[in-house]
mmCIF file of all heavy atoms in Angstrom:
data_model
loop_
_atom_site.group_PDB
_atom_site.id
_atom_site.type_symbol
_atom_site.label_atom_id
_atom_site.label_comp_id
_atom_site.label_asym_id
_atom_site.label_seq_id
_atom_site.Cartn_x
_atom_site.Cartn_y
_atom_site.Cartn_z
ATOM 1 N N ILE A 292 7.578 3.558 22.538
ATOM 2 C CA ILE A 292 7.955 4.907 22.227
ATOM 3 C C ILE A 292 6.975 5.885 23.019
ATOM 4 O O ILE A 292 7.323 6.928 23.547
ATOM 5 C CB ILE A 292 7.987 5.260 20.713
ATOM 6 C CG1 ILE A 292 8.981 4.330 20.059
ATOM 7 C CG2 ILE A 292 8.049 6.718 20.441
ATOM 8 C CD1 ILE A 292 8.907 4.382 18.514
ATOM 9 N N ALA A 293 5.711 5.451 23.000
ATOM 10 C CA ALA A 293 4.685 6.240 23.704
ATOM 11 C C ALA A 293 3.678 5.090 24.216
ATOM 12 O O ALA A 293 3.783 3.906 23.759
ATOM 13 C CB ALA A 293 3.956 7.090 22.657
ATOM 14 N N PRO A 294 2.768 5.334 25.068
ATOM 15 C CA PRO A 294 1.858 4.325 25.559
ATOM 16 C C PRO A 294 1.061 3.684 24.316
ATOM 17 O O PRO A 294 0.439 4.259 23.518
ATOM 18 C CB PRO A 294 0.891 5.106 26.345
ATOM 19 C CG PRO A 294 1.642 6.219 26.949
ATOM 20 C CD PRO A 294 2.493 6.642 25.778
ATOM 21 N N GLY A 295 1.433 2.423 24.216
ATOM 22 C CA GLY A 295 0.773 1.604 23.154
ATOM 23 C C GLY A 295 1.371 1.604 21.869
ATOM 24 O O GLY A 295 0.965 0.927 20.962
ATOM 25 N N LEU A 296 2.495 2.450 21.775
ATOM 26 C CA LEU A 296 3.252 2.455 20.426
ATOM 27 C C LEU A 296 4.593 1.818 20.626
ATOM 28 O O LEU A 296 5.423 2.330 21.307
ATOM 29 C CB LEU A 296 3.445 3.923 20.072
ATOM 30 C CG LEU A 296 4.075 4.133 18.724
ATOM 31 C CD1 LEU A 296 3.388 3.454 17.552
ATOM 32 C CD2 LEU A 296 4.213 5.621 18.417
ATOM 33 N N LEU A 297 4.738 0.658 20.037
ATOM 34 C CA LEU A 297 5.972 -0.075 20.210
ATOM 35 C C LEU A 297 7.192 0.410 19.371
ATOM 36 O O LEU A 297 6.885 0.915 18.276
ATOM 37 C CB LEU A 297 5.756 -1.613 19.959
ATOM 38 C CG LEU A 297 4.652 -2.266 20.804
ATOM 39 C CD1 LEU A 297 4.573 -3.780 20.360
ATOM 40 C CD2 LEU A 297 5.072 -2.133 22.241
ATOM 41 N N GLN A 298 8.353 0.297 19.875
ATOM 42 C CA GLN A 298 9.541 0.706 19.117
ATOM 43 C C GLN A 298 9.656 -0.298 18.060
ATOM 44 O O GLN A 298 9.557 -1.490 18.248
ATOM 45 C CB GLN A 298 10.748 0.724 19.938
ATOM 46 C CG GLN A 298 12.010 1.136 19.296
ATOM 47 C CD GLN A 298 13.168 1.128 20.192
ATOM 48 O OE1 GLN A 298 12.937 1.383 21.521
ATOM 49 N NE2 GLN A 298 14.314 0.941 19.726
ATOM 50 N N GLY A 299 9.994 0.089 16.831
ATOM 51 C CA GLY A 299 10.283 -0.707 15.714
ATOM 52 C C GLY A 299 11.636 -1.575 15.806
ATOM 53 O O GLY A 299 12.339 -1.198 16.726
ATOM 54 N N TYR A 300 11.742 -2.437 14.927
ATOM 55 C CA TYR A 300 12.980 -3.256 15.046
ATOM 56 C C TYR A 300 14.145 -2.554 14.121
ATOM 57 O O TYR A 300 15.310 -3.138 14.333
ATOM 58 C CB TYR A 300 12.823 -4.659 14.451
ATOM 59 C CG TYR A 300 12.263 -4.863 13.091
ATOM 60 C CD1 TYR A 300 13.130 -4.838 11.985
ATOM 61 C CD2 TYR A 300 10.874 -4.736 12.743
ATOM 62 C CE1 TYR A 300 12.778 -4.967 10.732
ATOM 63 C CE2 TYR A 300 10.462 -4.836 11.434
ATOM 64 C CZ TYR A 300 11.398 -4.930 10.402
ATOM 65 O OH TYR A 300 10.870 -5.002 9.181
ATOM 66 N N LEU A 301 13.916 -1.663 13.381
ATOM 67 C CA LEU A 301 15.002 -0.993 12.701
ATOM 68 C C LEU A 301 15.494 0.383 13.423
ATOM 69 O O LEU A 301 14.674 1.057 14.059
ATOM 70 C CB LEU A 301 14.403 -0.467 11.322
ATOM 71 C CG LEU A 301 14.014 -1.579 10.372
ATOM 72 C CD1 LEU A 301 13.425 -0.943 9.068
ATOM 73 C CD2 LEU A 301 15.160 -2.427 10.083
ATOM 74 N N SER A 302 16.710 0.482 13.398
ATOM 75 C CA SER A 302 17.321 1.700 14.054
ATOM 76 C C SER A 302 16.969 2.954 13.122
ATOM 77 O O SER A 302 16.604 2.737 11.979
ATOM 78 C CB SER A 302 18.847 1.578 14.226
ATOM 79 O OG SER A 302 19.454 1.541 13.008
ATOM 80 N N MET A 303 17.224 4.145 13.598
ATOM 81 C CA MET A 303 17.066 5.325 12.783
ATOM 82 C C MET A 303 17.843 5.295 11.495
ATOM 83 O O MET A 303 17.509 5.687 10.483
ATOM 84 C CB MET A 303 17.357 6.578 13.579
ATOM 85 C CG MET A 303 16.371 6.789 14.606
ATOM 86 S SD MET A 303 14.581 6.926 14.153
ATOM 87 C CE MET A 303 14.653 8.517 13.258
ATOM 88 N N GLU A 304 19.017 4.688 11.625
ATOM 89 C CA GLU A 304 19.961 4.692 10.450
ATOM 90 C C GLU A 304 19.520 3.545 9.425
ATOM 91 O O GLU A 304 19.818 3.713 8.257
ATOM 92 C CB GLU A 304 21.417 4.274 10.923
ATOM 93 C CG GLU A 304 22.103 5.395 11.724
ATOM 94 C CD GLU A 304 21.680 5.325 13.158
ATOM 95 O OE1 GLU A 304 21.255 4.232 13.655
ATOM 96 O OE2 GLU A 304 21.672 6.372 13.806
ATOM 97 N N GLU A 305 18.772 2.602 9.846
ATOM 98 C CA GLU A 305 18.284 1.545 8.960
ATOM 99 C C GLU A 305 16.927 1.810 8.304
ATOM 100 O O GLU A 305 16.494 1.144 7.436
ATOM 101 C CB GLU A 305 18.151 0.295 9.789
ATOM 102 C CG GLU A 305 19.438 -0.351 10.257
ATOM 103 C CD GLU A 305 19.260 -1.529 11.182
ATOM 104 O OE1 GLU A 305 18.416 -1.407 12.101
ATOM 105 O OE2 GLU A 305 20.002 -2.507 10.934
ATOM 106 N N LEU A 306 16.230 2.854 8.740
ATOM 107 C CA LEU A 306 14.951 3.160 8.190
ATOM 108 C C LEU A 306 14.990 3.509 6.719
ATOM 109 O O LEU A 306 16.080 4.138 6.351
ATOM 110 C CB LEU A 306 14.287 4.297 8.990
ATOM 111 C CG LEU A 306 13.786 3.955 10.271
ATOM 112 C CD1 LEU A 306 13.303 5.348 11.011
ATOM 113 C CD2 LEU A 306 12.694 3.033 10.268
ATOM 114 N N PRO A 307 14.178 2.990 5.830
ATOM 115 C CA PRO A 307 14.272 3.379 4.497
ATOM 116 C C PRO A 307 14.075 4.832 4.221
ATOM 117 O O PRO A 307 13.255 5.490 4.940
ATOM 118 C CB PRO A 307 13.106 2.585 3.737
ATOM 119 C CG PRO A 307 12.271 2.039 4.921
ATOM 120 C CD PRO A 307 13.053 2.153 6.149
ATOM 121 N N ASN A 308 14.726 5.430 3.237
ATOM 122 C CA ASN A 308 14.520 6.762 2.955
ATOM 123 C C ASN A 308 13.561 7.004 1.771
ATOM 124 O O ASN A 308 13.738 6.547 0.592
ATOM 125 C CB ASN A 308 16.012 7.314 2.379
ATOM 126 C CG ASN A 308 15.889 8.862 1.937
ATOM 127 O OD1 ASN A 308 14.837 9.436 1.993
ATOM 128 N ND2 ASN A 308 16.981 9.427 1.631
ATOM 129 N N SER A 309 12.371 7.491 2.113
ATOM 130 C CA SER A 309 11.364 7.489 1.185
ATOM 131 C C SER A 309 11.534 8.444 0.081
ATOM 132 O O SER A 309 11.129 8.243 -1.001
ATOM 133 C CB SER A 309 9.876 7.930 2.019
ATOM 134 O OG SER A 309 10.072 9.204 2.469
ATOM 135 N N LEU A 310 12.428 9.518 0.261
ATOM 136 C CA LEU A 310 12.853 10.423 -0.799
ATOM 137 C C LEU A 310 13.655 9.692 -1.893
ATOM 138 O O LEU A 310 13.518 10.024 -3.052
ATOM 139 C CB LEU A 310 13.545 11.577 -0.211
ATOM 140 C CG LEU A 310 12.831 12.478 0.715
ATOM 141 C CD1 LEU A 310 13.745 13.625 1.195
ATOM 142 C CD2 LEU A 310 11.507 13.065 0.025
ATOM 143 N N ALA A 311 14.317 8.615 -1.549
ATOM 144 C CA ALA A 311 15.134 7.814 -2.520
ATOM 145 C C ALA A 311 14.172 6.816 -3.234
ATOM 146 O O ALA A 311 14.541 6.331 -4.296
ATOM 147 C CB ALA A 311 16.215 7.125 -1.797
ATOM 148 N N LEU A 312 13.026 6.386 -2.524
ATOM 149 C CA LEU A 312 12.175 5.397 -3.090
ATOM 150 C C LEU A 312 11.136 5.840 -3.929
ATOM 151 O O LEU A 312 10.598 5.204 -4.928
ATOM 152 C CB LEU A 312 11.662 4.514 -1.834
ATOM 153 C CG LEU A 312 12.651 3.833 -1.006
ATOM 154 C CD1 LEU A 312 11.986 3.123 0.191
ATOM 155 C CD2 LEU A 312 13.476 2.682 -1.841
ATOM 156 N N ILE A 313 10.576 7.042 -3.594
ATOM 157 C CA ILE A 313 9.448 7.644 -4.310
ATOM 158 C C ILE A 313 9.899 8.743 -5.341
ATOM 159 O O ILE A 313 10.609 9.598 -4.769
ATOM 160 C CB ILE A 313 8.404 8.145 -3.259
ATOM 161 C CG1 ILE A 313 7.952 6.954 -2.338
ATOM 162 C CG2 ILE A 313 7.181 8.680 -3.973
ATOM 163 C CD1 ILE A 313 7.119 7.354 -1.263
ATOM 164 N N PRO A 314 9.371 8.667 -6.419
ATOM 165 C CA PRO A 314 9.831 9.713 -7.448
ATOM 166 C C PRO A 314 9.248 11.221 -6.983
ATOM 167 O O PRO A 314 8.230 11.259 -6.247
ATOM 168 C CB PRO A 314 9.334 9.325 -8.676
ATOM 169 C CG PRO A 314 8.166 8.403 -8.383
ATOM 170 C CD PRO A 314 8.518 7.723 -7.125
ATOM 171 N N PRO A 315 9.778 12.235 -7.424
ATOM 172 C CA PRO A 315 9.336 13.490 -7.002
ATOM 173 C C PRO A 315 7.951 13.697 -7.722
ATOM 174 O O PRO A 315 7.579 13.049 -8.666
ATOM 175 C CB PRO A 315 10.291 14.500 -7.565
ATOM 176 C CG PRO A 315 10.971 13.806 -8.646
ATOM 177 C CD PRO A 315 11.003 12.287 -8.263
ATOM 178 N N PRO A 316 7.137 14.685 -7.153
ATOM 179 C CA PRO A 316 5.841 15.015 -7.798
ATOM 180 C C PRO A 316 5.988 15.528 -9.196
ATOM 181 O O PRO A 316 7.067 16.055 -9.504
ATOM 182 C CB PRO A 316 5.200 16.018 -6.843
ATOM 183 C CG PRO A 316 6.346 16.692 -6.139
ATOM 184 C CD PRO A 316 7.355 15.593 -5.964
ATOM 185 N N PRO A 317 4.975 15.357 -10.074
ATOM 186 C CA PRO A 317 5.122 15.950 -11.319
ATOM 187 C C PRO A 317 5.162 17.436 -11.402
ATOM 188 O O PRO A 317 4.713 18.117 -10.523
ATOM 189 C CB PRO A 317 3.849 15.518 -12.002
ATOM 190 C CG PRO A 317 2.897 15.091 -10.997
ATOM 191 C CD PRO A 317 3.606 14.861 -9.766
ATOM 192 N N GLU A 318 5.942 17.987 -12.421
ATOM 193 C CA GLU A 318 6.002 19.409 -12.559
ATOM 194 C C GLU A 318 4.776 20.070 -12.891
ATOM 195 O O GLU A 318 3.906 19.531 -13.644
ATOM 196 C CB GLU A 318 7.156 19.671 -13.571
ATOM 197 C CG GLU A 318 8.465 19.318 -13.258
ATOM 198 C CD GLU A 318 9.578 19.639 -14.274
ATOM 199 O OE1 GLU A 318 9.335 20.664 -15.012
ATOM 200 O OE2 GLU A 318 10.619 18.889 -14.318
ATOM 201 N N GLU A 319 4.490 21.257 -12.366
ATOM 202 C CA GLU A 319 3.286 22.028 -12.622
ATOM 203 C C GLU A 319 3.205 22.258 -14.155
ATOM 204 O O GLU A 319 4.189 22.649 -14.897
ATOM 205 C CB GLU A 319 3.346 23.337 -12.000
ATOM 206 C CG GLU A 319 2.032 24.032 -11.951
ATOM 207 C CD GLU A 319 2.095 25.211 -11.021
ATOM 208 O OE1 GLU A 319 2.846 25.319 -10.200
ATOM 209 O OE2 GLU A 319 1.179 26.010 -11.138
ATOM 210 N N GLY A 320 1.980 21.973 -14.767
ATOM 211 C CA GLY A 320 1.787 22.157 -16.058
ATOM 212 C C GLY A 320 1.887 20.872 -16.887
ATOM 213 O O GLY A 320 1.586 20.737 -18.063
#
C-alpha cells in the first residue's frame, strides 16, 4: 500500500466493522 506497508488479505468489504463489535462509549454522567 505504501513502502514497507503490505496490503492485507481482506478486501475492504471483508474488513470487520468496529462500530458493530465495540459498544458505544458510556453516557455522560
Side-chain angles (χ1 to χ4, degrees):
I292 297 172
L296 182 61
L297 301 178
Q298 178 179 337
Y300 60 90
L301 295 176
S302 68
M303 292 301 288
E304 295 79 27
E305 295 172 311
L306 288 174
N308 180 357
S309 63
L310 296 176
L312 298 172
I313 301 172
E318 293 184 24
E319 193 170 339

